Amino acid sequence: MKWMKFRIKTVTEAEDIIISSLYDLGFEGAQIEDKIPLTAMEKEQMFVDILPEGPEDDGIAYLSFFVEIGEDGSLTVADEQKTVSEIVEMLETELEDLRLFCEIGEGTITVDETEDIDWINNWKQYFHQFYIDDILVIPSWEDIKVEDEGRMVLHIDPGTAFGTGMHETTQLCIRQLRKYITPETELLDVGTGSGILAILSLMFGAKHAVGTDLDVCAIEAVAQNCAANGIDPAQFEMMIGNIINDKAIQDTVGYECYDIVVANILADVLVPLTPVIVNQMKPGAIYITSGIINDKEQTVVDAVKAAGLSVLEVTYQGEWVSVTARK
């Protein structure tokens, strides 16, 4: 399919009202580009492959709307065929109406025809096989090379919502897990995402894993990646909910059940998580954390100690930190 892209330059304060107004006209699926910092809730939901903070918010936003181009070259909005100029006129009229009672900035419109877009699979062009130490991480659409036969291989299809394992924080956790896993390990992975950490833990020899995540998409991602790696579904249980403040999730996960808890999350989430998650850990259990940008190292170390845990090791990769402790 081909699409016509209509891109509006506006201000961040006007994003919601413009999207809502154009939705009423039949435009759907807005793509938002701005520099607004993540909210506390958004940070809480980012459990894997976390990027450093971006540039300072300049108040500018770009909203892009896509209209499919029919085989005859026509464009359809709200079940009506329109030309590009007619759509631009619709957008301009709506923006001018909005300008009467709110600030929308420039309100300029640019139009481009896209290449063919496969919205579900387009991201795959950016994900190729790579190594984490001696482990080959490979997506399903690539083949194992002859020289890699005999390696430990993690087959991972993260989907559009989760990370691939390429990020430093994930790799820091993997190395720590490898040090402490035994054949009797019961593992809890908080913020499971695509299941990389728990799946590799099972491949390293762990007995059983439980994962929690806020995103319901994690259930399907984990199921697919377990199947791709030959993991028995009975070895890996997934639960959706916030273990920090949801007593039902805490009860279901269980208390003093786990030999290792791993959490690859932002430091601002690790701080409230740590005094809660100690209740899920057996005496002597290992707590592996990452997602910690270097200037937050002491914050997490202090939280770990305040929860009564002993810090065993702090490791680094790039500007990211992993803190490992024992109950």
Side-chain angles (χ1 to χ4, degrees):
M1 293 184 292
K2 289 192 175 182
W3 305 75
M4 195 66 71
K5 176 181 178 182
F6 298 85
R7 189 170 187 250
I8 300 169
K9 184 177 182 180
T10 182
V11 292
T12 53
E13 291 84 356
E15 289 175 0
D16 291 342
I17 192 168
I18 292 176
I19 292 170
S20 177
S21 297
L22 296 187
Y23 182 85
D24 291 340
L25 292 178
F27 296 91
E28 299 179 359
Q31 174 183 301
I32 303 172
E33 302 168 69
D34 60 32
K35 298 174 184 175
I36 298 177
L38 295 175
T39 65
M41 179 60 71
E42 289 167 336
K43 287 182 178 181
E44 184 178 336
Q45 293 179 2
M46 291 187 67
F47 282 86
V48 295
D49 290 8
I50 306 152
L51 297 175
E53 293 186 8
E56 185 177 350
D57 179 21
D58 58 5
I60 302 299
Y62 295 90
L63 306 178
S64 297
F65 299 84
F66 298 85
V67 180
E68 185 179 348
I69 303 172
E71 293 183 1
D72 59 357
S74 63
L75 303 174
T76 303
V77 178
D79 297 325
E80 295 184 8
Q81 290 190 344
K82 302 283 186 181
T83 64
V84 170
S85 59
E86 287 173 337
I87 292 176
V88 170
E89 184 177 349
M90 285 176 62
L91 295 174
E92 288 176 340
T93 299
E94 188 67 20
L95 291 172
E96 288 307 309
D97 288 346
L98 292 173
R99 199 186 293 277
L100 295 175
F101 58 89
C102 71
E103 173 59 40
I104 67 166
E106 285 189 19
T108 52
I109 302 167
T110 56
V111 183
D112 293 294
E113 182 178 324
T114 71
E115 297 293 328
D116 288 351
I117 296 176
D118 180 344
W119 295 103
I120 300 300
N121 296 307
N122 191 46
W123 62 275
K124 291 182 177 179
Q125 64 184 294
Y126 304 108
F127 179 34
H128 303 287
Q129 57 186 276
F130 65 98
Y131 303 95
I132 301 175
D133 301 331
D134 60 337
I135 304 167
L136 173 65
V137 182
I138 186 169
S140 62
W141 53 91
E142 292 191 2
D143 297 321
I144 298 174
K145 300 172 184 174
V146 174
E147 59 267 30
D148 288 322
E149 292 179 0
R151 282 183 180 270
M152 177 176 283
V153 179
L154 174 66
H155 299 272
I156 196 79
D157 287 357
T160 56
F162 301 111
T164 62
M166 296 183 74
H167 199 272
E168 291 95 330
T169 61
T170 310
Q171 296 180 24
L172 284 165
C173 287
I174 290 169
R175 294 188 185 103
Q176 294 303 100
L177 285 165
R178 206 167 192 176
K179 291 180 185 178
Y180 293 101
I181 283 173
T182 74
E184 297 303 314
T185 295
E186 291 282 347
L187 178 99
L188 175 60
D189 180 5
V190 181
T192 301
S194 53
I196 293 171
L197 297 179
I199 289 171
L200 268 177
S201 295
L202 293 168
M203 293 170 67
F204 293 155
K207 183 178 181 180
H208 182 260
V210 171
T212 70
D213 204 286
L214 299 180
D215 192 337
V216 69
C217 294
I219 294 176
E220 183 178 357
V222 164
Q224 291 176 348
N225 289 321
C226 280
N229 290 282
I231 299 296
D232 183 344
Q235 284 189 282
F236 192 163
E237 298 177 58
M238 266 303 301
M239 303 177 191
I240 301 301
N242 190 336
I243 198 168
I244 295 175
N245 56 25
D246 189 332
K247 182 65 163 52
I249 291 295
Q250 295 169 11
D251 291 346
T252 305
V253 168
Y255 301 95
E256 295 197 348
C257 297
Y258 300 94
D259 303 286
I260 298 177
V261 173
V262 60
N264 183 22
I265 315 176
L266 284 169
D268 290 345
V269 182
L270 289 170
V271 171
L273 171 69
T274 300
V276 173
I277 212 67
V278 292
N279 298 306
Q280 272 65 45
M281 298 166 62
K282 295 178 182 178
I286 300 297
Y287 184 45
I288 299 169
T289 67
S290 194
I292 308 161
I293 197 71
N294 50 23
D295 62 2
K296 294 282 190 177
E297 174 185 339
Q298 194 58 47
T299 300
V300 175
V301 168
D302 291 344
V304 166
K305 291 180 177 178
L309 304 177
S310 300
V311 175
L312 298 178
E313 190 175 6
V314 180
T315 54
Y316 307 88
Q317 186 172 340
E319 59 185 340
W320 298 96
V321 181
S322 172
V323 177
T324 301
R326 188 190 303 273
K327 181 175 176 179

